[in-house]
Amino acid sequence: MVFFIRQVFLLAIDLLLAMTLSCLLYAFVCISIALLACFVIFFSFGFAERNIDVKGRAIVILVSNSSIGRMFTRNLDKAGFRVSAAHWPPQAGRTATKEESSPNIDMAQLHMTDDEYKTTVKNFIESHLSLKGFWGLVNNAGISTFGETGWLSMEKYEKFADVNLLGSIRTTLAFLPLLRKYKGRIVFMSSIIAYFTLGNGIYSMTKAAIEKFCDALRLEMKKFGVLVCIIQPGNYARSTKIQPPISAEEIWNELSEEEKEVYNKEYVQERADFFNNILNTGSTNGNEVVDAMVHALMSPAPKARYMVAKLKEKLLVFVCALFPTVVMDSVLSYALSKVKLT
């Protein structure tokens, strides 16, 4: 009898402990959910408060002669920003952008490769920026070309690095004091081509470099409340007009005698046809890229990276990022020229 009572007593204790642990676990889950909800609400309101009044704040956009650049400028203009569109190359699309926007938009030119660049930017700031504060800088200007490594001159490499990479860095450094002061945002136009190359290695090189510059800048600017975002479009060549169709004859004529001894006209023609086909399949819906750029500037919690690309393009990036290099090399080698050099 005593043994039976003892067993019942022990069983009751076990049940009591189990119920207590269950209640504590339930309470822990409820408290965690409540704290998480408060955390989300608090930071949501905190970010939203920062974005309450964007009207009249200054945005500087480096744009080239592309429909995406002009569309982006118009959208920010309509949102109420004080937009200053700095065109590169000089005069590119300047008239079209001005005609498509409100009288509030400022137009200027920044010579991205000039030695007196900082002076130019200083004058630009004093002449165009809003008194309500500096909100963001958008590095959207860039150039592209086609050609295998040995086909391009050193002068061309220097030009591309100066415009696509150093131009964005110069601009960022010039505006950095204002960005830190007003806790602004910086948006960079990159490309999925930063992960791989299909005949335009010189463009891929500059985009890969700007990605790493942004990664360092993003971490360093967190302590100042400055947000850094990267836009990674897929093939939007028909929207941006960044790369015109290429002529195999022009490429051949520009090759050195040493390169002509290595490559034949059939190979150059095949590569030109291959690249032109890629350009022709580019998306014409530039709104997708513009929406990502606007979100990066106006969202309470913007992403660090916006990959705006087709599913097959994203899969290619996925393979490049996660699989061994030999796998990616095999995929790209299959896609590239099958024409023999000799």
Side-chain angles (χ1 to χ4, degrees):
M1 184 69 180
V2 174
F3 176 78
F4 176 76
I5 294 174
R6 181 182 178 185
Q7 291 298 111
V8 171
F9 179 73
L10 292 175
L11 180 61
I13 292 177
D14 289 341
L15 290 174
L16 181 62
L17 288 173
M19 291 177 62
T20 302
L21 290 174
S22 298
C23 292
L24 289 174
L25 180 61
Y26 179 76
F28 175 77
V29 172
C30 291
I31 293 173
S32 298
I33 293 175
L35 289 175
L36 180 61
C38 292
F39 178 85
V40 172
I41 292 172
F42 174 79
F43 277 91
S44 295
F45 276 110
F47 280 120
E49 183 179 357
R50 182 181 169 189
N51 278 334
I52 287 176
D53 183 20
V54 298
K55 292 186 181 299
R57 292 204 179 191
I59 292 281
V60 173
I61 310 172
L62 298 184
V63 296
S64 54
N65 189 19
S66 70
S67 59
I68 285 181
R70 297 198 301 270
M71 192 186 311
F72 180 52
T73 304
R74 292 197 307 270
N75 285 11
L76 292 182
D77 180 38
K78 292 177 182 177
F81 283 104
R82 170 84 178 272
V83 181
S84 296
H87 281 278
W88 195 96
Q91 300 297 338
R94 188 176 182 184
T95 303
T97 305
K98 186 65 178 176
E99 290 175 351
E100 295 168 356
S101 306
S102 76
N104 297 323
I105 193 169
D106 294 317
M107 308 300 297
Q109 294 182 52
L110 293 181
H111 298 276
M112 300 177 68
T113 59
D114 286 351
D115 293 335
E116 297 180 354
Y117 183 78
K118 286 191 175 181
T119 303
T120 305
V121 172
K122 184 176 184 296
N123 294 335
F124 178 80
I125 292 174
E126 293 173 350
S127 303
H128 294 81
L129 291 189
S130 166
L131 295 177
K132 293 191 68 176
F134 187 63
W135 182 258
L137 171 67
V138 182
N139 287 297
N140 184 46
I143 54 177
S144 177
T145 191
F146 167 82
E148 294 197 358
T149 303
W151 297 0
L152 305 171
S153 66
M154 190 61 208
E155 290 75 18
K156 187 159 287 188
Y157 276 99
E158 291 173 349
K159 177 181 178 181
F160 271 74
D162 213 13
V163 174
N164 290 0
L165 175 60
L166 299 180
S168 294
I169 294 175
R170 286 190 190 99
T171 308
T172 302
L173 294 179
F175 284 96
L176 211 51
L178 280 174
L179 289 164
R180 287 194 295 252
K181 178 180 179 180
Y182 292 105
K183 302 184 185 298
R185 299 184 180 189
I186 317 173
V187 179
F188 290 85
M189 182 62 72
S190 180
S191 171
I192 63 167
I193 210 70
Y195 295 95
F196 57 87
T197 179
L198 284 170
N200 53 350
I202 190 171
Y203 184 68
S204 300
M205 172 193 74
T206 58
K207 292 305 181 182
I210 204 67
E211 290 260 349
K212 292 309 171 186
F213 174 74
C214 291
D215 286 342
L217 185 67
R218 184 179 61 256
L219 293 174
E220 294 165 2
M221 289 297 106
K222 279 183 177 293
K223 56 182 170 287
F224 300 107
V226 177
L227 303 179
V228 179
C229 304
I230 305 173
I231 312 297
Q232 300 173 315
N235 184 4
Y236 284 85
R238 293 168 66 189
S239 297
T240 62
K241 308 297 183 184
I242 190 172
Q243 173 66 64
I246 60 175
S247 165
E249 189 67 25
E250 291 180 5
I251 294 174
W252 180 259
N253 292 335
E254 292 178 0
L255 292 182
S256 65
E257 293 302 320
E258 290 83 359
E259 294 299 309
K260 288 180 179 179
E261 291 178 2
V262 177
Y263 299 94
N264 54 49
K265 285 188 176 182
E266 184 184 7
Y267 180 86
V268 174
Q269 183 65 61
E270 191 276 340
R271 293 303 306 276
D273 292 341
F274 173 82
F275 197 71
N276 283 332
N277 182 62
I278 293 177
L279 296 178
N280 292 332
T281 58
S283 175
T284 57
N285 187 13
N287 284 305
E288 298 168 345
V289 180
V290 171
D291 290 344
M293 297 167 75
V294 172
H295 189 274
L297 281 174
M298 299 187 66
S299 170
K303 303 176 185 178
R305 280 179 168 84
Y306 293 79
M307 185 172 291
V308 190
K310 298 176 183 177
L311 178 59
K312 63 180 181 180
E313 294 171 330
K314 291 181 178 179
L315 288 175
L316 197 57
V317 172
F318 176 81
V319 171
C320 182
L322 298 181
F323 284 74
T325 301
V326 64
V327 175
M328 192 63 181
D329 285 352
S330 299
V331 172
L332 297 180
S333 295
Y334 178 80
L336 290 170
S337 173
K338 300 180 181 64
V339 175
K340 302 297 181 181
L341 293 177
T342 57

